[in-house]
């Protein structure tokens, strides 16, 4: 449901995902954690932006909220913490600008891992980072061959997180 210029991931209603599928792209997305702080650690404004439905950039209210490093806002979830915490106060709109290159496969072999650059609120937090596989919690998942495109998914993690001003442009020839 889109109201007042944004949509919200409602707790326990499921992830939001695109019908269209994307590969290499530039993505801009704005998000806001709830203004009223409830919970702590991973229970505070938790969601995620999933490239191709498999690779998560963490969404989390990390303003004066301590959590594990690879679970911070803008972390490549379960793999790499951001270079810096660029979070704004709860309720304020935040932005991610992402340059994404999908992994490439030749048969069963990975010939190029997924590569990502992320700016959080205009601050570089990941530069040309090579992912080690799909993201998950406390596991290292190996790459498995998949198509060069997949959906954009916004995670329902039990917190009402808002999203707006989402746009992407495809990137070619990388």
């Amino acid at each position: 449901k889109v109201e007042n210029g944004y949509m919200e991931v409602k707790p326990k209603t499921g992830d939001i995902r695109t019908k269209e599928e994307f590969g290499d792209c530039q993505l801009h997305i704005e998000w806001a954690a709830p203004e009223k702080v409830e919970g702590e650690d991973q229970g505070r404004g938790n969601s995620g932006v999933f490239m191709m439905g498999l690779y998560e950039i963490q969404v989390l209210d990390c303003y004066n909220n301590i959590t594990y490093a690879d679970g911070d806002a803008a972390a490549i979830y379960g793999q790499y913490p951001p270079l810096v915490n660029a979070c704004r106060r709860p309720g304020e709109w935040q932005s991610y600008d992402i340059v994404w290159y999908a992994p490439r496969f030749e048969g069963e072999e990975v010939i190029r891992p997924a590569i990502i650059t992320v700016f959080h609120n205009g601050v570089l937090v990941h530069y040309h980072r090579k992912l080690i596989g799909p993201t998950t919690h406390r596991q290292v998942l190996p790459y498995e061959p998949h198509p060069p495109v997949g959906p954009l998914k916004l995670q329902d993690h039990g917190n009402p997180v808002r999203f707006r001003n989402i746009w992407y442009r495809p990137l070619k020839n990388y």
Side-chain angles (χ1 to χ4, degrees), residues 1-139:
K1 185 175 179 182
V2 177
E3 285 184 332
N4 304 315
Y6 64 85
M7 64 181 169
E8 187 172 278
V9 177
K10 297 279 188 184
K12 303 191 187 332
T13 59
D15 300 334
I16 296 171
R17 72 168 285 211
T18 60
K19 290 180 183 177
E20 189 172 344
E21 297 195 336
F22 311 95
D24 300 350
C25 68
Q26 176 185 356
L27 175 72
H28 174 86
I29 188 165
E30 296 173 10
W31 60 273
E35 187 172 354
K36 182 180 178 192
V37 174
E38 292 181 359
E40 57 188 56
D41 191 32
Q42 292 289 303
R44 216 169 109 175
N46 192 333
S47 184
V49 174
F50 281 80
M51 306 302 291
M52 301 177 71
L54 296 169
Y55 307 94
E56 181 182 5
I57 298 90
Q58 175 73 314
V59 169
L60 187 71
D61 173 10
C62 280
Y63 187 84
N64 292 330
N65 181 30
I66 297 172
T67 190
Y68 49 92
D70 59 7
D72 272 342
I76 308 306
Y77 189 77
Q79 294 185 20
Y80 303 105
L83 296 171
V84 65
N85 181 345
C87 272
R88 294 182 176 147
R89 294 178 182 276
E92 291 184 22
W93 285 101
Q94 310 206 42
S95 66
Y96 286 163
D97 288 288
I98 299 166
V99 177
W100 170 257
Y101 294 105
R104 299 291 194 268
F105 302 93
E106 213 170 75
E108 297 291 312
E109 185 181 340
V110 179
I111 58 171
R112 187 190 76 203
I115 299 170
I116 191 167
T117 295
V118 180
F119 290 85
H120 181 192
N121 295 326
V123 177
L124 180 67
V125 294
H126 295 284
Y127 177 70
H128 206 74
R129 177 75 72 184
K130 293 178 181 175
L131 278 66
I132 56 177
T135 58
T136 191
H137 183 61
R138 292 187 177 178
Q139 289 182 16

